Amino acid sequence: MLATLDTPFADARADALSFALGLPPLDALAVLPVERAGLTVHLRLLGASHQVVAGPLSETVACLPDGAEPLPGRAAATLPGWGYEFTATTSAHEGEPEFGRAVEAVCARLLGRDDALTGAFPGSRHAVTALALDDAGDGTGDGTGAGIGWRTWHAYPQTREIVMTRSRLVRQR
């Protein structure tokens, strides 16, 4: 789903992002609920990036108030009956053409998917935040529905950076 937003792009730089688990649902500009692996996964586009609510987990990557944890490269948690893993990387692009092509490639890959939410902010056609379920999320590859995974992309035209995250929530056996 493509959401054209009329809220100004709030994040100025990738290094302003914070990470939090367990926050209640925050005000969202767009929400896409998707059923997978026996869960309803809510892909939530915030004015300051994203939030995913899936089963017992709430993951927020956004510009959060002072005191929030900075965005880690890796994180893991154990919840009752579940395991969770998170990774984040940032790619920096030398020039505007390379950055634009990278953002457009993400948008094209997600276009028309019923399990993806892309938000386009005003002011720059490359000011984009995107979330999508990841088929490899359960880690088993056997289609048993043991878990769910998602990926996100946060594009920053001002600095030509793209922050990419990958998360997995897996049922403990």
Side-chain angles (χ1 to χ4, degrees):
M1 177 172 107
L2 176 62
T4 303
L5 309 170
D6 34 343
T7 299
F9 190 58
D11 298 335
R13 304 180 53 89
D15 62 6
L17 287 175
S18 298
F19 173 79
L21 295 177
L23 294 180
L26 302 175
D27 290 338
L29 302 174
V31 178
L32 179 65
V34 182
E35 297 286 331
R36 287 288 195 295
L39 294 175
T40 300
V41 180
H42 296 269
L43 303 175
R44 302 171 56 80
L45 190 61
L46 308 177
S49 291
H50 90 261
Q51 186 175 52
V52 174
V53 179
L57 179 87
S58 159
E59 170 194 282
T60 305
V61 173
C63 289
L64 297 170
D66 291 338
E69 291 290 320
L71 187 66
R74 294 188 163 281
T78 302
L79 304 155
W82 297 88
Y84 166 79
E85 296 176 359
F86 171 89
T87 60
T89 58
T90 301
S91 64
H93 299 270
E94 285 294 315
E96 184 63 34
E98 295 85 4
F99 173 76
R101 283 193 295 275
V103 172
E104 289 165 11
V106 169
C107 293
R109 187 168 63 222
L110 302 181
L111 187 64
R113 286 181 50 177
D114 64 355
D115 63 353
L117 175 61
T118 302
F121 291 87
S124 169
R125 66 188 186 115
H126 296 131
V128 169
T129 298
L131 303 89
L133 291 189
D134 186 1
D135 291 335
D138 69 9
T140 66
D142 64 7
T144 61
I148 191 80
W150 56 90
R151 298 183 69 179
T152 72
W153 298 263
H154 305 262
Y156 298 93
Q158 303 92 325
T159 58
R160 295 183 305 276
E161 295 172 296
I162 301 175
V163 175
M164 298 157 287
T165 73
R166 178 174 248 162
S167 303
R168 291 180 13 166
L169 182 62
V170 180
R171 289 184 204 272
Q172 302 297 314
R173 297 185 194 262

